[in-house]
Amino acid sequence: MYDNMADQNDESGGPNGCGPLLASDSPDAKPLRQQVFEHVRATGRAARTDVTRALNISAGSATTLTADLICAGLLREVEGLPRESGRGRPPVALEVVPEARYVIGIKLSDETHSAVLSDFAGRPVADATLPSSPGRKSLDTVLEEIDILIDRVLKDADMSLLEISAVGMGIPGIVDHDTGTVTWSPFLIETEVDIRTAFMARFGMPVYVDNDTNVLSLAELWFGAGRTIADFVVVTIENGVGMGLVLDNRLFRGARGMGLELGHTKVQLDGALCRCGQRGCLEAYLADYALAREAATALDRNPRTPQSPYVMLDALFAQAKSGNEAARTIFRRAGRYLSLGLSNVIQLFDPGLIILSGERMQYDYLYSKEVLAEMQKLTLSDGRTPCEVEVHAWGGMIWARGATALALEAVTAAALGEARG
């Protein structure tokens, strides 16, 4: 496990940027003005000659477009690039004006909500957390908790809500990103919740909502290992099992924006009961509640005595490490189901990388050599390089930072539309 999203500067002292570093081959490419802006933001700082080479445009086009973006207050000129010959004036570079826009990213969970306030260059300015009340919640309760969380992160940044352009939000469950509707979530009492309209009515600003694993995938695409990989998969194991897919440097959501529910693919007909109400889902063998369900037996706990699943799982893991064979059997079984799920992902999408993430990645039984070997054994891999697997045990703040990318995407498109107008 490691953290590859640390904010570092390049050798010239400038920011190293954020966003995908590879160009998309998609036929519906973004407008050239937006490509110029996003190239500068992705590299942190770029000379106009770098822009012309990277985007294969003329020097005249680069000069005109960057002048337009400077006039709009979105880019600025700085001195900071190293001299190529070691003599003369340093070349003038371009960078994003950080204070041009600010966004907030929020990750909602059943234990702790997290928020990150980011500038237009994608750099975190402030963050905050809020303990979440247990159990399913009404929309009104969720909005109350979001209100407190936003107030905390604004106070940490010494800013007001009027300075924020938009909010990105990740929430577990089936989410229609296009409409901002949460069709179903283990987090909410209601179904078909129009959280976008309710949020805008309360806070007076746009919110962009997505499945929480999708926003974690955006975190990898914008700030992590996915910046230089065209196609990769993120699989998360926490209170549920989620999956995010990036194809050609873009987040794939499916035809109706609600695809890739890996946790609810079936691995056993008439199998264990899932919290979605169906049986045999992968999640019913891997998620927190699934492991805690069996942990009570392995630890000889009274099932009528309420206890946090997180406390139960920590105790189960400690017992497994100390030699308790019943505890080990639970983790081994979960690992075998994970192998099956990952093998299916490889067969379907042939990704360049699978990133395993989530709080349960602290339990090394779930990514042991045996688990990965079983994954390869179940996969038709003759004649091709085995899929690489990495483990990133990110905390809630990285999910929230991914939600800032969700907001930055929308705010960038809107800002460049205004600049064009």
Side-chain angles (χ1 to χ4, degrees), residues 145-186:
E145 293 180 346
I146 290 172
D147 202 337
I148 297 170
L149 183 63
I150 289 177
D151 184 61
R152 286 187 180 185
V153 77
L154 288 172
K155 284 182 177 177
D156 189 45
D158 194 23
M159 295 175 64
S160 73
L161 192 61
L162 295 176
E163 297 174 84
I164 306 302
S165 297
V167 171
M169 187 184 304
I171 185 169
I174 301 175
V175 182
D176 188 332
H177 168 69
D178 291 336
T179 65
T181 301
V182 180
T183 301
W184 171 85
S185 172

Side-chain angles (χ1 to χ4, degrees), residues 109-113 130-137 141-142 145 187:
S109 79
D110 59 350
E111 187 175 36
T112 303
H113 303 322
L130 178 71
S132 173
S133 57
R136 290 176 180 260
K137 304 170 177 65
T141 299
V142 171
E145 293 180 346
F187 186 71

Side-chain angles (χ1 to χ4, degrees), residues 195-360:
I195 199 167
R196 176 182 293 176
T197 299
F199 184 96
M200 292 184 68
R202 181 170 184 130
F203 297 99
M205 72 169 58
V207 64
Y208 301 93
V209 189
D210 212 332
N211 171 270
D212 56 353
T213 306
N214 279 347
V215 303
L216 184 62
S217 301
L218 283 175
E220 293 287 358
L221 180 62
W222 277 60
F223 312 110
R227 296 191 70 200
T228 57
I229 301 174
D231 307 293
F232 66 92
V233 166
V234 174
V235 174
T236 59
I237 304 174
E238 294 200 309
N239 198 37
V241 176
M243 173 179 162
L245 173 66
V246 170
L247 294 176
D248 190 25
N249 308 296
R250 294 188 176 192
L251 187 64
F252 178 80
R253 293 186 174 94
R256 289 172 292 279
M258 298 182 288
L260 305 171
E261 286 291 337
L262 177 65
H264 299 289
T265 57
K266 303 302 179 282
V267 294
Q268 181 72 54
L269 291 176
D270 298 322
L273 182 64
C274 179
R275 61 181 174 173
C276 73
Q278 297 191 21
R279 289 188 174 274
C281 297
L282 178 62
E283 182 175 295
Y285 297 90
L286 275 180
D288 288 355
Y289 66 89
L291 297 181
R293 189 163 51 195
E294 294 195 337
T297 300
L299 300 176
D300 196 24
R301 302 289 173 85
N302 186 343
R304 294 185 178 85
T305 303
Q307 188 171 33
S308 165
Y310 311 110
V311 173
M312 186 88 76
L313 290 181
D314 284 344
L316 183 72
F317 184 63
Q319 285 290 313
K321 283 297 186 181
S322 66
N324 184 314
E325 192 58 32
R328 287 183 174 182
T329 298
I330 292 172
F331 282 111
R332 288 197 193 105
R333 181 170 182 256
R336 293 199 68 194
Y337 276 104
L338 177 59
S339 299
L340 175 60
L342 295 180
S343 175
N344 288 339
V345 168
I346 295 171
Q347 294 289 181
L348 288 170
F349 301 107
D350 189 25
L353 172 68
I354 292 179
I355 298 170
L356 299 179
S357 190
E359 291 295 327
R360 299 295 74 78

Side-chain angles (χ1 to χ4, degrees), residues 49-191:
T49 53
D50 298 327
V51 174
T52 61
R53 285 194 295 264
L55 301 181
N56 195 26
I57 60 177
S58 69
S61 294
T63 299
T64 299
L65 291 169
T66 55
D68 180 28
L69 292 167
I70 290 170
C71 184
L74 304 179
L75 293 182
R76 65 188 179 194
E77 292 184 330
V78 293
E79 291 186 355
L81 292 179
R83 303 177 182 90
E84 292 185 4
S85 63
R87 294 184 298 175
R89 291 184 59 192
V92 174
L94 299 165
E95 71 176 17
V96 173
V97 178
E99 60 271 18
R101 301 287 190 279
Y102 292 96
V103 301
I104 293 175
I106 293 174
K107 152 70 168 165
L108 298 178
S109 79
D110 59 350
E111 187 175 36
T112 303
H113 303 322
S114 306
V116 171
L117 192 155
S118 169
D119 64 26
F120 206 33
R123 294 177 294 195
V125 176
D127 59 61
T129 60
L130 178 71
S132 173
S133 57
R136 290 176 180 260
K137 304 170 177 65
S138 68
L139 176 59
D140 288 341
T141 299
V142 171
L143 291 175
E144 286 287 344
E145 293 180 346
I146 290 172
D147 202 337
I148 297 170
L149 183 63
I150 289 177
D151 184 61
R152 286 187 180 185
V153 77
L154 288 172
K155 284 182 177 177
D156 189 45
D158 194 23
M159 295 175 64
S160 73
L161 192 61
L162 295 176
E163 297 174 84
I164 306 302
S165 297
V167 171
M169 187 184 304
I171 185 169
I174 301 175
V175 182
D176 188 332
H177 168 69
D178 291 336
T179 65
T181 301
V182 180
T183 301
W184 171 85
S185 172
F187 186 71
L188 291 168
I189 296 172
E190 305 99 333
T191 58

